[in-house]
Amino acid sequence: MTVPAPRVRRRPSVPGRTLPLLLVLALLAPLGLLFAQTDGHTGDDHDLAARERLGVRYLRALGPVTDALTDAQTNAVAGRPVSRAALTAAIERAAQVDGAIGDQLRTRERWAGVRAKLEALPERGLADPEAAFQAYGEVADLLLALHRKVREASGLVRDPRSDSFFVQDAIGADLPAAMVAAGRLADVATLAPNRPAAQRPRTVAELAELRVAALGPATDLVDDLRAAVDSSESTDLGPTVLTPLDTYQRSVEALAAFSAPAGAAGPDPVQLGAARRGAQSAAAQLRQVILDQLDALLADRLDRLDRDRWLARGAVAVAGVLLAVLAGVLLSALRRARRRAAQADREPAEAGPPPATLRPDQPAYAGDGELLPVGAGRGESERWRPFDAAR
């Protein structure tokens, strides 16, 4: 008779055992790359917006300095005493802001030069109004250059949103240039009657140039703010900005009317000076509103970026937990498969070899090599049965 051989279990192949784990690792790689790119872009946008808010803070401090310098220049050119109280207070506030954030915006050296020029201006009007006009004009040019430096260093000029870009251009470039040019226009109108007749053509050309320099940025400011309102998703920007903008626009129209050429005598200095003060007052009110709105837009952007960053990190954390659970399940299944395979290998060895099967005509041997009778050593079923002798 024949004893059947034990069945051997098939072991899973090595690729079959490691493929699920490799798939888990393959999912982790693109997930990590996507998170790194998203977090990097979000971090860059967050840093830019935070730096822009520093620029808004610096521009807020430079506005009063510009106003006080323009008023001091007008008084100096007209021969009136120059009150340094407003200018000194504005300089001190700007110095505090520069001391706090000047290193981050790299404006320390530029502000130090502007401050030295501002403090060197005489407290009383110079004997020569033309010299006073020249001295104050040089400081005003340095102040406008500092405005440009702040916008560039803070990243305001690279703002990616259309509404905040138009707003920063209006407050950081158009408004200071318009105010400085308007002050110069009024001052030249004051100087014109005292100039020699031979210089009259040059004076007329200078007035025309300053009129364009004052009205051009003012018009650009109005266009920028209207474009910002039209493109903004904020519900506060339009209602908050349009009212002071209309007031400023009317003051600019008055400035344009009183600065128009009026024959050989030129514009009336008194009326033009009053129009300049009205425009400066409207500009100061508008500047405060614009800076508040620009800072609010940047603050909202920072909040959205923070929220997006936490959502991205939360999604990656959840995905990582799910993948870790999946990997644990796969590893547990792999361990169980290995234990079952090892147990299957031990069972045949513990059972021993199968008993030998003898043929009926095969002799059996005793333990000492002695032959046993035929049939001895076989089981009970192999004994001689009746009628076997008749075979």
Side-chain angles (χ1 to χ4, degrees):
M1 56 184 297
T2 304
V3 178
R7 298 179 62 184
V8 180
R9 296 175 180 261
R10 295 185 59 188
R11 296 184 181 180
S13 61
V14 174
R17 293 195 301 263
T18 59
L19 182 59
L21 294 177
L22 292 177
L23 291 177
V24 172
L25 294 177
L27 288 174
L28 285 175
L31 182 63
L33 179 61
L34 180 62
F35 170 73
Q37 290 180 346
T38 302
D39 190 69
H41 292 318
T42 305
D44 293 340
D45 293 340
H46 187 280
D47 293 341
L48 176 60
R51 197 173 185 86
E52 285 183 79
R53 292 194 72 186
L54 297 181
V56 172
R57 181 182 174 186
Y58 208 113
L59 291 176
R60 195 187 297 273
L62 290 181
V65 178
T66 306
D67 294 342
L69 178 63
T70 304
D71 290 338
Q73 176 178 317
T74 299
N75 291 330
V77 170
R80 296 188 295 267
V82 178
S83 176
R84 295 294 300 268
L87 183 59
T88 301
I91 291 174
E92 291 300 326
R93 289 193 295 270
Q96 292 177 0
V97 173
D98 183 81
I101 62 177
D103 289 336
Q104 301 178 57
L105 298 181
R106 301 188 299 274
T107 57
R108 283 291 180 87
E109 295 182 3
R110 188 71 61 91
W111 166 248
V114 173
R115 182 176 183 177
K117 291 287 186 179
L118 288 169
E119 293 176 346
L121 292 173
E123 295 185 1
R124 296 183 178 181
L126 297 177
D128 185 4
E130 294 286 349
F133 178 76
Q134 185 69 26
Y136 278 87
E138 293 177 356
V139 181
D141 289 337
L142 293 176
L143 193 58
L144 291 178
L146 181 57
H147 278 82
R148 290 192 296 271
K149 175 65 175 179
V150 171
R151 293 173 60 232
E152 293 173 358
S154 64
L156 285 169
V157 295
R158 300 184 299 276
D159 191 278
R161 297 291 299 273
S162 59
D163 52 355
S164 51
F165 176 82
F166 286 126
V167 170
Q168 68 82 26
D169 189 64
I171 192 61
D174 297 333
L175 190 61
M179 288 299 95
V180 170
R184 289 175 177 175
L185 176 62
D187 294 340
V188 171
T190 301
L191 294 172
N194 299 323
R195 286 180 174 177
Q199 296 183 3
R200 192 169 302 276
R202 183 176 67 86
T203 302
V204 172
E206 187 177 2
L207 285 171
E209 181 180 356
L210 288 174
R211 186 172 186 269
V212 172
L215 298 180
T219 303
D220 293 340
L221 182 146
V222 174
D223 294 339
D224 283 342
L225 290 183
R226 293 192 180 278
V229 171
D230 293 339
S231 61
S232 179
E233 299 177 358
S234 174
T235 57
D236 297 332
L237 182 61
T240 306
V241 169
L242 290 180
T243 299
L245 179 61
D246 291 339
T247 303
Y248 173 75
Q249 192 171 6
R250 288 194 296 270
S251 68
V252 170
E253 292 173 353
L255 181 67
F258 289 119
S259 63
D268 184 1
V270 177
Q271 293 180 339
L272 184 57
R276 196 275 307 173
R277 289 191 294 272
Q280 180 171 320
S281 177
Q285 181 183 2
L286 180 61
R287 178 176 57 235
Q288 186 67 29
V289 172
I290 295 175
L291 288 172
D292 290 342
Q293 289 300 310
L294 180 56
D295 190 67
L297 290 174
L298 294 173
D300 291 341
R301 189 189 306 172
L302 285 173
D303 292 339
R304 288 195 302 270
L305 291 172
D306 287 335
R307 185 167 56 251
D308 293 343
R309 177 181 291 183
W310 284 112
L311 286 176
R313 292 180 177 178
V316 169
V318 171
V321 170
L322 293 177
L323 290 176
V325 171
L326 179 59
V329 170
L330 293 175
L331 288 174
S332 179
L334 182 59
R335 293 193 192 98
R336 288 196 299 269
R338 288 179 178 176
R339 285 198 297 268
R340 286 196 297 267
Q343 185 177 1
D345 290 341
R346 287 196 301 269
E347 287 177 355
E350 293 174 355
T357 303
L358 298 177
R359 295 190 303 273
D361 57 348
Q362 182 177 357
Y365 293 88
D368 55 357
E370 180 182 357
L371 287 174
L372 297 175
V374 177
R378 293 177 173 86
E380 190 68 25
S381 62
E382 296 296 330
R383 293 180 178 177
W384 286 46
R385 290 184 294 275
F387 307 103
D388 284 345
R391 295 181 181 176

